[in-house]
Amino acid sequence: MKKFCFAFCITLFVIATVGCSSPWNDPHPKEDSEEKTFHGSFSERPKHLDPVSSYSENEARFNAQIYEPVVQYHYTKKPYQLVPLTGTELPLASYFDENGKKLGRSADLSEVAFTVYEIEIKKGILFQPHPSFAKNDSGEFIYQDLSEADLEKVNKIGDFVNTGSRELVAEDYVYQIKRLVHPKLHSPIAGFMGKYIMGLSKLADTLRVADSRGELIDLREYEFEGAKATGRYKFEVKIKGKYPQFKYWLAMSFFAPVPWEAEQFYSQKGMKERNLTFDWYPVGTGPFMLTENNPNRRIVLKRNPNYRVEYHPADLEKEKARRLPLVKKALFSLEKESIPEWTKFLQGYYDTSGVLSDSFDQVITFNSRGDSRLAQEMINRGIRLEKAVKPSSSYMGFNMTDPVVGGYSRRAKLLRQAISIAVDYEELLSIFANGRGLAAQGPIPPGIFGYLAGEEGVNKNVYDWIDGEAKRKSEEVAHSLLAEAGYPDGREMGKDGPLTLYYDTVSSGPGSKAVLNWYRKQFKKLGIELVVRATDYNRFQEKIRKGTAQIFSWGWNADYPDPENFLFLLYGPNSKIVSQGENAVNYQNDEYDRLFALMRVSPNGPARQKLINRMVEILREDAPWLWGFHPTAFVLSHGWVSDAKPNLMARNTLKYRGIDTKSRAEMRKKWNKPVIWPVVIVISLLVIFAIPAVFVYRQHQGARIKC
Amino acid sequence: MLIYILRRFLYAIPILLTVNVLTFILFFVVNSPDDMARLHLGQKHVTQESIEKWKASRGYDKPLLWNINEDGLTKVKKTIFYDHTVKLFFFEFGQSDSGRDIGFDITQRMWPSLAIAVPVLLIGLMVTLTLALIVSFFRATYIDTFGVVICVVMMSVSGLFYIIGGQYLAGKLLRLVPISGYEEGLISIKFVILPVIIGVLSGLGASTRWYRTIFLEEINKDYVRTARAKGLSEAMVMYSHVLRNALIPILTGVVVVLPSLFLGSLITEAFFGIPGLGSYTIEAIQSQDFAIVRSMVFLGSVLYILGLILTDISYTIADPRVRLD
């Protein structure tokens, strides 16, 4: 009993000690709460941090802080604009004919056999400290020839005592391009890039043969025409024909530099068994380096001590410019559930947050004109709201190979147009997304060249421009189109019962029921019966691949801010059933395809805008999609965070974020004073209830003795 | 007894094999290797070539259970089932489909699970046994009636309600502990205290009622009357005699779960952000990571069998009349 009391007192002492120095409910270690540390969260652990495989948004938010491609997006300018990162200037494209003769910049597409991008990188950039670079006094690598015994006590990258670094050279970029087709790695863009980068497919075949023979592949030994270093700081990439969008790919981590030393280090025996791989411990030149990767709990990025001198772009003309990155550390904690995440944000333990649908009314209010603004309670807490329309489209697609809703006959077009009018996306956004989105007029979202705002950008098949506003056409118009199509009041002539259409979806839970009922209601306005076919994710994907779905919802997030990245979703040769491309509705229109080929290689300007306008007009007429909406991101940040404005193309914005730690600590203490009295009351009540029981027990014992 | 234990272990082999075959069939009925590859490679720009490459690198390019292109024993050996199952019997879990070492992850994640499951079991057992003994002692009084009513109310409330309510009350309103999260070392106390209290509270109603029933059955037996007649105090009667004689049904429920404690709780871990094995399994199911799913199912089966054997052994300790032959 004494031991138990002692242990209990110790526990209380520990809790009390922790409680005295910081709020009791502080989930972060004490040093992280006090230091210039950014506190964020992640809900899904990143699968890949190797830049050759990483493609999803939740991976990019880490990788973009660690790896540095040659170009980046300007962090404030819109339309989105590329600026050099490690490159001395933007990549320069030169065009050549099939004889290798250099052509002028305005060369015709048919003349261009290949394009060469010449890239020069800045001198003196260093990789982060890493054991793969560590050398002894004789200049030999310390950790490049490790035995199983050497790795016995190693469990994480920090267990290697020595680290080193070296200068970034052009060869590191070329090395990474070769990694795209390494037989042991899985780059999602390997096949796609094989169509563009000269010799990449051939290199893939060569490497595959070498791998099948059991040879150890050292990519430095393999040369290929598509990418080569032309100097210590210069390299060039050769592209088949003309592909102007390639410059945007250069801003993605697929084209970030990778040092061969790190690859060799991680490929040693015993590393994989300890989870010491490129996928878990990246090596880059960026402002941050990953020091702890526990995807089950937290991911820690620390300031890269070798990061070059770079100042905040907003301070360039100021006397005292802030050196980047502004925080020393960024700590991202795993949060699987949204309620604890939101509570911690309100308690001040996360610096930024999104807005949950459940708490939307607590956070956002609407004025008389319907514009959203932050609720007073949030303003009083010093919270700020930033809004930005995402470069993405969420749409409902008609399978164009379907005999009822598909095809290019007038009847089919009119049916799709009628449905386009009936399905009221403004209402959907208002009911299910708290107005967080913009009803789309076409496939191109705002912020991307080709998007037109105002009257000239309105889809005239669905909207009328009245009093300076786009107003959805009335149901009567939809009914008349439907009647013209041969479905008066939603009934096919000569057949009994309403026209029945089928909507395929993976949403089947109670949360989706309301949305699905809403869709049914929209079709019902026209007298059409919408049957929801709920299925699992794999079967749904299979239906889309085989073209057996009729109507379905789909979406696309921009890879890069060029209209080509949206208009290619309806380019005939990209049809899902033909080429397993991204044209999920299998749309095909010869004129559109011809214009797409021209638009793809045209520079931004009036001529390109004209092409885009015509293409969008064709699409609106054919209506293969209900254009859906472009979602809006709502980002909340506390008053102590600076530069939290979202840039939805640039992912490397952590370096611009600053934290006022003093203000944060004060607010956290103020908002998190523990309330103890209810606990005291509960304990007192338990004691009070126990007293009669003890009394009865004693009485009972006494009674027995008397007997 | 040794022969008995050995025999039980031998019985375990066909059981584990059957569990593996069933898990394998159930998993691959829903997910084909192509589906798994697509999920791992993402939705954009995925080609059939990259799918084939992914499958080959993880051994999913072979037939599932029977390779018609091979001869003799290799018909079985050159299959996905053989590749991914035989090593499990030597506790070699291999790599997950996302490339992490499963054995390493299990050793890392079992500790947070244990940090919650062990206190919940021990404290829960201590509290429920004591409460059940008290309620039995005060049988047919207002305390007994009140206790049973409270128990019924508590067991009628969903476990999720305890979690969300507890987080709201202790984490948000009273600000006594972090609402979720986990840190290693002594500081972990402030993270596990709330899930442990909630774990104990949520199981209190059902367990107390169950133990009360067991105790009430014992309390009217002759040996209890004899003990009282000897002049023993009521506390001595309850703890030394009633509790000891009621141990068999209690052990049946408790010992069997002991080995599987470190598998963790799926819901508690997800809500409290505890990086244990419960959330590990759920994540694997969501991401269609067959390597982890089969490892966790296999481990669960092994531990359950171990728990049953331990239960049998515990009977011999609790009741000397029981012999394992």
Side-chain angles (χ1 to χ4, degrees):
Chain A
M1 190 62 187
K2 273 183 185 172
K3 278 183 184 172
F4 175 77
C5 289
F6 179 70
F8 187 67
C9 292
I10 290 281
T11 311
L12 278 183
F13 173 74
V14 169
I15 295 170
T17 316
V18 172
C20 287
S21 52
S22 62
W24 291 9
N25 61 352
D26 188 348
H28 304 302
K30 193 181 165 218
E31 65 276 12
D32 288 331
S33 290
E34 289 167 2
E35 254 189 1
K36 256 193 184 314
T37 302
F38 173 81
H39 288 134
S41 64
F42 63 102
S43 60
E44 202 183 328
R45 68 179 194 170
K47 277 187 205 157
H48 304 289
L49 291 176
D50 184 336
V52 85
S53 325
S54 169
Y55 200 6
S56 69
E57 202 62 44
N58 65 332
E59 293 158 0
R61 65 184 298 204
F62 301 109
N63 263 358
Q65 324 309 328
I66 298 162
Y67 288 107
E68 290 191 303
V70 287
V71 287
Q72 64 179 338
Y73 291 98
H74 192 282
Y75 94 116
T76 52
K77 283 186 184 167
K78 272 195 190 167
Y80 301 103
Q81 193 181 317
L82 282 178
V83 291
L85 181 57
T86 59
T88 53
E89 53 191 38
L90 289 176
L92 192 68
S94 307
Y95 304 114
F96 295 84
D97 66 12
E98 56 188 15
N99 301 316
K101 192 184 153 198
K102 196 170 180 178
L103 303 166
R105 294 200 59 76
S106 56
D108 191 69
L109 177 64
S110 58
E111 287 179 85
V112 179
F114 62 93
T115 307
V116 175
Y117 283 89
E118 290 174 81
I119 299 150
E120 185 174 357
I121 58 166
K122 291 169 190 163
K123 293 172 187 169
I125 294 174
L126 292 175
F127 278 103
Q128 66 177 72
H130 194 267
S132 62
F133 300 117
K135 288 182 178 175
N136 59 21
D137 295 339
S138 341
E140 293 160 344
F141 286 109
I142 302 174
Y143 301 122
Q144 292 286 10
D145 189 20
L146 297 172
S147 64
E148 279 280 352
D150 295 328
L151 289 171
E152 225 163 60
K153 289 182 180 170
V154 172
N155 281 315
K156 53 185 188 297
I157 205 78
D159 292 336
F160 292 98
V161 181
N162 299 296
T163 59
S165 179
R166 78 155 163 83
E167 192 188 20
L168 172 74
V169 292
E171 195 62 57
D172 297 318
Y173 285 94
V174 175
Y175 188 82
Q176 167 69 351
I177 295 172
K178 292 178 194 168
R179 288 181 84 235
L180 292 175
V181 290
H182 192 296
K184 293 265 190 282
L185 303 172
H186 301 280
S187 179
I189 64 160
F192 181 75
M193 277 299 148
K195 288 191 266 180
Y196 291 106
I197 300 177
M198 289 175 76
L200 194 65
S201 300
K202 201 173 154 192
L203 177 69
D205 294 337
T206 311
L207 295 175
R208 201 177 301 124
V209 171
D211 185 54
S212 64
R213 285 200 297 253
E215 290 173 21
L216 274 176
I217 296 172
D218 182 351
L219 288 173
R220 289 174 297 164
E221 291 167 6
Y222 293 85
E223 297 289 329
F224 88 111
E225 60 175 326
K228 60 183 174 193
T230 51
R232 187 171 167 80
Y233 304 106
K234 281 184 186 173
F235 70 101
E236 61 177 35
V237 184
K238 250 185 210 178
I239 300 290
K240 290 173 200 166
K242 213 174 177 183
Y243 182 43
Q245 289 74 30
F246 184 70
K247 61 178 182 285
Y248 296 113
W249 283 102
L250 288 173
M252 295 170 80
S253 68
F254 296 117
F255 292 90
V258 161
W260 66 268
E261 293 93 333
E263 176 122 275
Q264 194 165 294
F265 170 80
Y266 286 127
S267 61
Q268 293 176 93
K269 207 176 167 200
M271 289 283 186
K272 209 172 176 183
E273 287 73 23
R274 288 164 176 79
N275 293 325
L276 297 172
T277 64
F278 242 127
D279 250 351
W280 299 98
Y281 289 101
V283 187
T285 58
F288 292 95
M289 55 185 197
L290 192 146
T291 54
E292 186 185 334
N293 185 359
N294 184 346
N296 312 321
R297 190 153 62 89
R298 66 181 192 176
I299 291 175
V300 181
L301 302 179
K302 273 189 182 164
R303 185 186 280 171
N304 172 8
N306 295 342
Y307 191 59
R308 61 190 176 279
V309 177
E310 188 188 4
Y311 294 104
H312 198 292
D315 298 349
L316 290 181
E317 285 169 16
K318 289 181 187 168
E319 203 172 293
K320 202 178 172 188
R322 290 169 293 170
R323 192 176 164 181
L324 300 176
L326 297 180
V327 293
K328 280 185 182 172
K329 195 172 168 183
L331 193 153
F332 298 91
S333 308
L334 180 68
E335 287 291 354
K336 298 295 283 181
E337 296 298 325
S338 54
I339 296 172
E341 184 186 359
W342 174 245
T343 306
K344 281 188 199 168
F345 172 71
L346 287 182
Q347 290 172 337
Y349 295 126
Y350 288 137
D351 295 322
T352 57
S353 170
V355 181
L356 293 178
S357 289
D358 292 345
S359 5
F360 193 84
D361 294 338
Q362 185 192 349
V363 181
I364 307 290
T365 54
F366 290 90
N367 63 17
S368 53
R369 290 193 325 183
D371 296 329
S372 57
R373 57 189 289 271
L374 207 56
Q376 194 56 44
E377 190 198 338
M378 298 291 127
I379 295 170
N380 294 345
R381 281 175 163 255
I383 291 171
R384 290 187 308 252
L385 170 70
E386 301 281 357
K387 291 184 274 184
V389 179
K390 290 183 185 175
S392 62
S393 279
S394 188
Y395 62 87
M396 186 183 269
F398 297 105
N399 179 9
M400 296 300 278
T401 60
D402 183 82
V404 181
V405 297
Y408 304 90
S409 63
R410 183 166 164 73
R411 178 186 165 99
K413 274 185 205 177
L414 289 171
L415 171 64
R416 292 193 296 266
Q417 284 175 6
I419 297 171
S420 302
I421 294 168
V423 181
D424 187 345
Y425 274 100
E426 286 82 3
E427 190 179 288
L428 179 128
L429 288 168
S430 160
I431 298 173
F432 300 108
N434 304 107
R436 280 175 291 177
L438 184 72
Q441 303 293 332
I444 304 172
I448 304 231
F449 181 83
Y451 173 82
L452 294 176
E455 189 177 1
E456 55 180 350
V458 162
N459 178 2
K460 295 203 168 59
N461 290 316
V462 179
Y463 293 89
D464 292 316
W465 189 258
I466 301 166
D467 299 333
E469 258 186 282
K471 292 260 164 83
R472 189 171 284 272
K473 286 180 191 289
S474 65
E475 273 178 43
E476 285 70 39
V477 178
H479 274 287
S480 67
L481 287 174
L482 201 62
E484 206 181 323
Y487 304 102
D489 296 323
R491 286 168 188 273
E492 198 172 353
M493 280 191 280
K495 285 190 181 172
D496 289 336
L499 172 65
T500 305
L501 299 179
Y502 298 93
Y503 177 71
D504 285 280
T505 178
V506 286
S507 317
S508 57
S512 324
K513 205 176 168 190
V515 184
L516 296 173
N517 282 339
W518 181 86
Y519 278 131
R520 281 194 199 101
K521 204 179 116 195
Q522 301 304 301
F523 280 72
K524 200 76 191 166
K525 284 186 209 167
L526 300 176
I528 298 172
E529 191 74 36
L530 185 72
V531 176
V532 174
R533 293 194 295 206
T535 182
D536 67 83
Y537 178 80
N538 294 332
R539 298 293 78 75
F540 176 74
Q541 292 282 334
E542 195 182 338
K543 279 183 175 183
I544 302 296
R545 275 200 309 278
K546 291 183 175 170
T548 53
Q550 191 179 58
I551 303 173
F552 55 90
S553 289
W554 203 258
W556 183 260
N557 284 320
D559 286 317
Y560 43 81
D562 190 271
E564 183 264 358
N565 196 231
F566 284 89
L567 297 173
F568 93 121
L569 299 172
L570 291 152
Y571 180 51
N574 286 340
S575 161
K576 206 58 134 181
I577 52 174
V578 172
S579 63
Q580 289 300 303
E582 304 301 340
N583 179 355
V585 294
N586 307 301
Y587 176 69
Q588 209 275 326
N589 179 304
D590 290 342
E591 189 190 353
Y592 179 87
D593 290 351
R594 188 179 54 77
L595 293 173
F596 176 82
L598 277 174
M599 182 281 303
R600 195 176 69 88
V601 294
S602 307
N604 286 347
R608 197 179 197 209
Q609 182 68 59
K610 207 174 158 189
L611 285 172
I612 293 168
N613 290 351
R614 175 64 195 139
M615 290 170 77
V616 172
E617 201 180 303
I618 294 169
L619 293 176
R620 285 171 178 164
E621 174 68 19
D622 284 346
W625 296 1
L626 300 190
W627 301 107
F629 61 94
H630 309 297
T632 304
F634 277 40
V635 178
L636 298 171
S637 59
H638 284 291
W640 56 75
V641 185
S642 61
D643 290 290
K645 202 170 176 62
N647 182 318
L648 301 168
M649 283 312 300
R651 275 91 180 186
N652 62 342
T653 51
L654 184 62
K655 61 183 175 182
Y656 304 119
R657 289 221 176 126
I659 301 286
D660 178 354
T661 44
K662 199 179 157 204
S663 159
R664 180 169 72 181
E666 280 169 11
M667 289 302 174
R668 281 182 178 176
K669 274 199 171 166
K670 187 181 159 193
W671 294 339
N672 294 291
K673 283 182 187 148
V675 184
I676 304 170
W677 63 263
V679 181
V680 176
I681 288 180
V682 170
I683 293 172
S684 309
L685 281 175
L686 284 176
V687 172
I688 291 167
F689 282 131
I691 290 170
V694 173
F695 180 72
V696 171
Y697 175 75
R698 284 181 176 275
Q699 216 176 23
H700 189 79
Q701 285 291 94
R704 287 184 69 237
I705 291 163
K706 275 177 202 169
C707 285
Chain B
M1 188 161 77
L2 271 175
I3 292 170
Y4 173 82
I5 294 169
L6 191 69
R7 202 167 63 221
R8 289 292 298 270
F9 273 114
L10 288 174
Y11 287 162
I13 294 171
I15 295 172
L16 290 174
L17 200 65
T18 313
V19 167
N20 261 311
V21 173
L22 282 175
T23 314
F24 184 85
I25 292 170
L26 285 173
F27 189 90
F28 282 101
V29 161
V30 183
N31 313 292
S32 71
D34 276 39
D35 294 332
M36 291 160 70
R38 281 198 178 86
L39 196 82
H40 281 270
L41 292 171
Q43 285 191 12
K44 288 180 168 182
H45 307 298
V46 180
T47 59
Q48 195 55 41
E49 192 189 346
S50 56
I51 290 168
E52 295 305 326
K53 195 173 153 188
W54 185 91
K55 279 163 41 186
S57 70
R58 282 157 175 81
Y60 290 121
D61 55 339
K62 295 173 188 145
L64 290 176
L65 285 161
W66 191 254
N67 194 336
I68 50 165
N69 300 321
E70 298 292 331
D71 297 314
L73 205 60
T74 46
K75 276 182 186 293
V76 178
K77 275 183 156 181
K78 284 200 172 175
T79 59
I80 296 176
F81 179 73
Y82 186 86
D83 276 0
H84 288 78
T85 300
V86 174
K87 284 181 182 169
L88 282 179
F89 284 88
F90 302 97
F91 291 94
E92 283 181 35
F93 300 114
Q95 304 276 320
S96 73
D97 292 339
S98 60
R100 278 182 76 87
D101 189 80
I102 298 171
F104 181 86
D105 272 355
I106 289 174
T107 54
Q108 295 288 304
R109 297 184 73 140
M110 60 186 264
W111 300 111
S113 288
L114 283 173
I116 299 203
V118 172
V120 168
L121 181 85
L122 294 181
I123 299 172
L125 202 60
M126 211 165 67
V127 173
T128 46
L129 283 176
T130 309
L131 283 177
L133 284 170
I134 292 172
V135 174
S136 314
F137 173 74
F138 291 108
R139 60 196 173 281
T141 64
Y142 79 95
I143 294 177
D144 183 26
T145 315
F146 184 69
V148 172
V149 169
I150 293 284
C151 283
V152 172
V153 171
M154 287 183 84
M155 63 193 276
S156 311
V157 176
S158 149
L160 208 58
F161 178 83
Y162 285 103
I163 294 173
I164 295 172
Q167 282 185 325
Y168 182 76
L169 197 71
K172 195 174 178 180
L173 282 187
L174 307 182
R175 301 182 283 272
L176 298 172
V177 287
I179 194 161
S180 70
Y182 186 77
E183 286 293 330
E184 277 158 10
L186 206 58
I187 197 81
S188 66
I189 292 172
K190 77 170 180 177
F191 292 96
V192 300
I193 199 160
L194 183 59
V196 166
I197 291 173
I198 288 171
V200 171
L201 278 179
S202 60
L204 208 62
S207 304
T208 307
R209 233 181 126 235
W210 163 236
Y211 295 145
R212 173 187 167 273
T213 315
I214 297 168
F215 293 145
L216 284 182
E217 208 172 293
E218 289 294 320
I219 224 159
N220 293 320
K221 287 189 177 166
D222 290 344
Y223 72 88
V224 178
R225 201 175 301 120
T226 311
R228 284 194 182 121
K230 280 196 314 188
L232 291 178
S233 71
E234 201 61 26
M236 187 65 93
V237 172
M238 296 302 276
Y239 279 99
S240 291
H241 293 268
V242 176
L243 180 59
R244 191 181 164 86
N245 281 286
L247 266 182
I248 294 282
I250 295 172
L251 286 174
T252 310
V254 173
V255 182
V256 76
V257 300
L258 278 180
S260 48
L261 278 184
F262 83 88
L263 291 178
S265 157
L266 308 182
I267 299 173
T268 308
E269 286 180 12
F271 270 83
F272 286 99
I274 307 288
L277 286 172
S279 48
Y280 188 52
T281 313
I282 284 286
E283 283 163 26
I285 294 167
Q286 284 167 349
S287 60
Q288 297 183 8
D289 197 322
F290 174 65
I292 299 176
V293 173
R294 68 169 159 82
S295 301
M296 294 309 294
V297 171
F298 178 80
L299 205 57
S301 319
V302 169
L303 293 171
Y304 192 72
I305 290 168
L306 195 67
L308 289 172
I309 296 172
L310 282 177
T311 310
D312 287 353
I313 296 169
S314 71
Y315 288 166
T316 62
I317 299 164
D319 187 348
R321 291 170 300 179
V322 178
R323 292 276 182 276
L324 299 178
D325 294 322

